[in-house]
Amino acid sequence: MVVNRRKLDKKVLRILTIILGLLILFLGIYFFFIPRFRIHDFEKTIEIPYASTFAAKAPTVCYGTIFNCENITGREEGNVDTSKLGSYTVTYTFSYKNKEMKEEQEVVVKDIEKPVIEITGEEPINYCGNKKSYGYTIVATDNYDGDITAKVETEVKQEKIIFKVEDSSGNKTVVEKQAQLKDDEKPVLTLQGDSNVFVPLNGIYEEAGITAMDNCDGDISGNVSIEGNVDSTKAGEYVLKYKVSDSNNNESVVERYVYVYQNSEYPSLDGKNVYLTFDDGPGKDTARLLDILKKYNVKATFFVTNQNINKGYDDVIKRMYDEGHTIALHSNTHVYAQIYTSMDAYFNDLYAIQDKVKSITGYAPMIIRFPGGSSNTISRNYDNGTRIMSKLTKAVQAKGFRYFDWNVDSNDAGTAKSAGAVSANVINALGNNNTYVVLQHDIKSYSVDAVETIIQFGLSHGYTFQALKMDSPRVEHRVNN
Ligand code: ZN
């Protein structure tokens, strides 16, 4: 068995050798002697840059044997759009007699260009804070992505600043510049709320806060320290100092003034009392005026009229009364040509406005102000030479009325036509006297706008605001008719 098996093995081996020999022979014949398409210099895949010009380059092809091969020009098909990234196929077709061969080539349009970083500004570039660089402008553009400035990353390393950017295809550009530490800009402190704050005695002072922004460190509001405090149980002026420094010790300081005021219900005998008085109202701005007065707990005096402009504000008159202001009488019609013709005409008008107030509030005011003031001369035009003001000033007192003129004219019915002008006229007139009766008109919007400034000035300068009472100090003009 063993011998037989060996013989068999030898036979198989010989047959295999013959087959192999024949195979090599046929292959050799095929490669060298059988005519066919023969191709050289051909890459199945090529890469070309984005936006470049693509020119198809056909492979070199011939037909024949290795010893005798005839060159063939091929024709190409397929489009390559270099303005769009991606893969394209170009097919080359070669014909020889009625034989044909096709070769496909993959053309890959790729973004292989690096972005460009342009930096304008002085070198070395400044940096500060958390190594934040500044004082230059940077633009990064890419042939494919366009403006990619937002993608630039900066890193400060000792005396160098490194700018890096990568486009969407992964092409990277790195630029280095010299850098230096420089920070001489102060943080900017911005008070929240007003820089002058008014707090009623025993009221609560609420810190409105402050923001601090630094060119280098960014938001450093949390580092602001506050010096000083407010004792709202003691009237007076308090100063709060807000301080902050940036990481390079540039310091900023701002101040806030807090006035703790006591607006006494009673006039101070040796102090300075301001009586705000408003004529010719109520009007569309009177409710707003009442809000301002309420905010500062200031009581005022309203010399009301009943003209067309006053219609529809009965609820405002009621509110004046409910909130503790003094409602006083000015005139029902405010028509000089009517009220100053006779004593009867005057009193008829006066009682008419008194009745109106009484019908709204249940209270009949006895404080009055003559239209035009007791010193007016316009009454001469209508009184037939009876010197009516001389008579009226006595007659009203005989009937129990008390009249008030004014010693501070805001001039809001004259040349002062803005809140600033009105408040300036009043504030400039306030001095160290005991009694200031201020004339304003609450039918003038800008005059109402001036009131808060006047009150704030007064409260922060030791004045007490009062409403006129029957026994308030008399402020009366010299009668001229
Ligand atoms: Zn008037």
Side-chain angles (χ1 to χ4, degrees):
M1 287 298 286
V2 174
V3 173
N4 276 349
R5 196 172 170 178
R6 241 183 222 165
K7 266 186 185 166
L8 196 69
D9 284 354
K10 266 188 181 171
K11 216 172 191 176
V12 169
L13 198 65
R14 198 179 305 143
I15 289 167
L16 282 178
T17 309
I18 290 166
I19 290 172
L20 194 66
L22 284 172
L23 203 64
I24 289 167
L25 184 69
F26 282 124
L27 279 175
I29 291 166
Y30 177 78
F31 275 112
F32 293 106
F33 301 105
I34 306 288
R36 58 181 178 88
F37 290 101
R38 294 170 189 276
I39 185 163
H40 310 282
D41 307 327
F42 184 60
E43 290 173 86
K44 292 291 275 182
T45 304
I46 58 169
E47 283 180 357
I48 60 166
Y50 166 76
S52 64
T53 310
F54 172 71
K57 188 169 172 268
T60 309
V61 170
C62 64
Y63 189 88
T65 65
I66 195 161
F67 307 107
N68 180 18
C69 198
E70 194 177 327
N71 278 339
I72 301 165
T73 312
R75 60 174 200 281
E76 80 220 27
E77 275 173 291
N79 262 329
V80 176
D81 182 358
T82 62
S83 71
K84 278 181 191 143
L85 299 187
S87 258
Y88 301 86
T89 303
V90 178
T91 307
Y92 299 99
T93 306
F94 301 91
S95 304
Y96 182 81
K97 289 179 181 167
N98 44 16
K99 296 188 180 62
E100 196 177 72
M101 180 187 76
K102 283 179 190 292
E103 274 299 330
E104 285 192 344
Q105 185 173 49
E106 191 191 12
V107 179
V108 183
V109 176
K110 264 187 121 172
D111 171 23
I112 51 180
E113 210 172 294
K114 288 180 175 183
V116 177
I117 296 178
E118 275 180 280
I119 297 159
T120 39
E122 297 266 309
E123 200 176 347
I125 287 169
N126 298 323
Y127 69 89
C128 59
N130 294 322
K131 298 215 166 170
K132 194 185 149 212
S133 52
Y134 66 97
Y136 60 91
T137 53
I138 184 164
V139 178
T141 45
D142 183 61
N143 70 318
Y144 182 70
D145 299 334
D147 189 334
I148 52 169
T149 308
K151 291 172 86 178
V152 176
E153 288 175 9
T154 57
E155 189 190 346
V156 177
K157 267 189 183 167
Q158 291 306 97
E159 302 303 302
K160 268 187 185 150
I161 174 161
I162 300 154
F163 301 89
K164 286 182 199 168
V165 76
E166 186 176 334
D167 71 12
S168 59
S169 306
N171 302 300
K172 289 176 199 168
T173 296
V174 177
V175 175
E176 278 190 8
K177 295 269 179 191
Q178 294 299 310
Q180 66 178 357
L181 176 68
K182 191 178 177 197
D183 176 13
D184 43 24
E185 222 172 282
K186 288 178 179 183
V188 177
L189 283 170
T190 309
L191 283 175
Q192 308 292 100
D194 291 331
S195 54
N196 292 302
V197 177
F198 295 81
V199 180
L201 188 69
N202 295 317
I204 295 166
Y205 169 69
E206 279 180 55
E207 176 55 47
I210 187 162
T211 59
M213 294 300 292
D214 186 59
N215 68 319
C216 291
D217 301 339
D219 189 343
I220 50 170
S221 307
N223 299 349
V224 179
S225 66
I226 307 177
E227 278 175 25
N229 63 335
V230 177
D231 181 357
S232 62
T233 65
K234 274 185 197 158
E237 177 187 306
Y238 298 86
V239 183
L240 297 176
K241 255 190 188 171
Y242 302 77
K243 284 187 186 176
V244 75
S245 293
D246 67 15
S247 54
N248 287 299
N249 295 319
N250 299 302
E251 189 187 56
S252 290
V253 181
V254 296
E255 291 177 338
R256 195 198 306 269
Y257 293 85
V258 181
Y259 301 96
V260 175
Y261 65 87
Q262 179 178 27
N263 193 46
S264 163
E265 209 176 311
Y266 302 101
S268 156
L269 292 177
D270 51 357
K272 307 176 287 186
N273 300 295
V274 178
Y275 297 83
L276 296 178
T277 73
F278 299 93
D279 286 10
D280 297 358
K284 63 180 172 47
D285 295 293
T286 308
R288 188 161 64 84
L289 172 57
L290 290 173
D291 291 342
I292 297 166
L293 298 172
K294 195 176 191 176
K295 181 175 169 188
Y296 295 95
N297 190 30
V298 163
K299 307 294 182 224
T301 305
F302 292 89
F303 289 95
V304 299
T305 55
N306 189 25
Q307 308 171 78
N308 282 335
I309 47 166
N310 308 125
K311 305 294 186 204
Y313 299 107
D314 289 1
D315 55 329
V316 176
I317 290 182
K318 181 71 167 60
R319 190 180 153 194
M320 289 171 186
Y321 180 76
D322 291 344
E323 294 184 358
H325 300 289
T326 293
I327 301 177
L329 308 173
H330 194 32
S331 169
N332 195 56
T333 62
H334 208 294
V335 176
Y336 297 119
Q338 187 183 319
I339 60 175
Y340 289 141
T341 51
S342 70
M343 299 287 279
D344 280 352
Y346 176 80
F347 279 105
N348 283 341
D349 174 86
L350 183 65
Y351 286 128
I353 186 66
Q354 190 189 47
D355 285 348
K356 179 179 164 70
V357 174
K358 194 181 177 191
S359 73
I360 297 166
T361 65
Y363 159 80
M366 293 300 286
I367 293 175
I368 67 170
R369 175 173 284 158
F370 293 106
S374 65
S375 57
N376 81 76
T377 53
I378 194 165
S379 54
R380 289 179 194 161
N381 299 346
Y382 311 108
D383 71 349
N384 292 311
T386 56
R387 306 196 63 178
I388 194 166
M389 291 316 300
S390 301
K391 290 177 184 163
L392 281 176
T393 47
K394 292 189 180 76
V396 292
Q397 293 182 83
K399 291 177 187 288
F401 291 102
R402 164 128 303 165
Y403 72 90
F404 286 89
D405 287 303
W406 57 89
N407 56 14
V408 175
D409 188 355
S410 72
N411 213 10
D412 67 349
T415 55
K417 299 212 178 301
S418 68
V422 171
S423 59
N425 283 343
V426 176
I427 287 168
N428 290 337
L430 299 180
N432 290 314
N433 295 340
N434 180 266
T435 304
Y436 294 95
V437 176
V438 178
L439 172 65
Q440 286 185 259
H441 297 79
D442 54 323
I443 50 167
K444 312 261 184 198
S445 277
Y446 53 84
S447 198
V448 170
D449 291 340
V451 171
E452 190 155 11
T453 305
I454 294 166
I455 291 174
Q456 290 189 345
F457 175 86
L459 292 176
S460 57
H461 289 81
Y463 294 87
T464 300
F465 289 87
Q466 299 293 329
L468 289 170
K469 301 277 190 280
M470 290 298 279
D471 58 353
S472 294
R474 299 176 75 153
V475 173
E476 295 167 357
H477 293 168
R478 208 184 82 125
V479 175
N480 294 311
N481 178 30

